[in-house]
Amino acid sequence: MTSTPRFAHVVFQTSQPDAMREWYCALLGARVVYEGHGLTFLTFDDEHHRIALAHIPGLERKSPKAALVNHVAYTFDSLDELLDRYQELLAAGIEPWKPVQHGVTTSLYYEDPDGNHVEMQVDNFATADEATAYMEGPEYDADPIGVRYRPELMVEARRAGVAVAELQTREWALRTSPELPHPMAD
């Protein structure tokens, strides 16, 4: 390519635009830029819109067996920011669908009212080169999906002064939540 594109927005078809609008506003701290004619546009940063909702009556909820986009991901600058957002969302009644320690990222997956998945993540490495080296290594090759963890234990550990570098590892997730099934088990 002669120029590098940047991500602009994602559009969701929905039969429940009000629930979807409220959910994404809560999840991302978004605000409505425009709403009318069966469309809702939301933003949470300097872009005019990042999420669009197209109201189409009669749609069925997303089936896990459908060939569609698996998830959309958003990155935080630090683990503390991710955990703060987790606690804010929990207080608003929005719980993670599936927390996963991928090794390369520490992630919390959420499920919107239509069954779409949204990943909230933090990179576990300071640079892209370090992340790539990890992904080319044996731990990642043995299991590129990762392991589940309990975010409430991570919050407690952070409050107790456990270092971010320790928490952002598969080893910590396995040690503190060994009973959890593999992320692909369900």
Side-chain angles (χ1 to χ4, degrees):
M1 272 192 254
T2 57
S3 63
T4 304
R6 292 173 300 145
F7 176 76
H9 63 266
V10 62
V11 178
F12 294 107
Q13 298 180 155
T14 183
S15 290
Q16 46 183 342
D18 295 340
M20 291 284 282
R21 178 192 64 236
E22 295 308 312
W23 194 86
Y24 277 98
C25 282
L27 185 78
L28 300 172
R31 66 181 176 81
V32 175
V33 176
Y34 174 81
E35 192 163 36
H37 302 280
L39 299 170
T40 302
F41 295 101
L42 308 171
T43 192
F44 51 83
D45 61 10
D46 58 352
E47 184 70 18
H48 45 79
H49 72 283
R50 290 292 185 183
I51 305 225
L53 304 172
H55 182 202
I56 300 172
L59 295 176
E60 295 178 13
R61 191 173 194 279
K62 179 183 169 187
S63 164
K65 301 211 180 268
L68 301 168
V69 171
N70 183 274
H71 67 274
V72 177
Y74 299 91
T75 301
F76 287 85
D77 290 332
S78 71
L79 179 63
D80 289 333
E81 289 179 5
L82 177 68
L83 294 177
D84 287 347
R85 192 70 185 137
Y86 158 75
Q87 292 175 89
E88 291 169 2
L89 292 170
L90 205 56
I94 300 174
E95 296 185 36
W97 166 70
K98 192 180 290 189
V100 181
Q101 173 50 263
H102 291 295
V104 71
T105 65
T106 299
S107 301
L108 295 167
Y109 289 86
Y110 291 86
E111 186 172 84
D112 75 17
D114 280 344
N116 300 298
H117 296 149
V118 177
E119 178 183 8
M120 308 290 262
Q121 69 175 30
V122 63
D123 288 323
N124 291 340
F125 295 93
T127 68
D129 287 342
E130 289 174 293
T132 300
Y134 174 80
M135 291 176 79
E136 293 171 342
E139 183 175 77
Y140 195 79
D141 188 49
D143 180 7
I145 301 299
V147 297
R148 288 191 188 187
Y149 69 96
R150 296 190 184 282
E152 66 275 12
L153 296 180
M154 192 174 280
V155 169
E156 290 173 14
R158 243 350 243 141
R159 286 183 183 149
V162 176
V164 167
E166 181 180 341
L167 297 176
Q168 289 182 244
T169 64
R170 287 186 191 203
E171 190 276 324
W172 182 87
L174 287 168
R175 187 176 74 246
T176 60
S177 305
E179 76 287 358
L180 296 179
H182 189 271
M184 299 303 287
D186 59 358

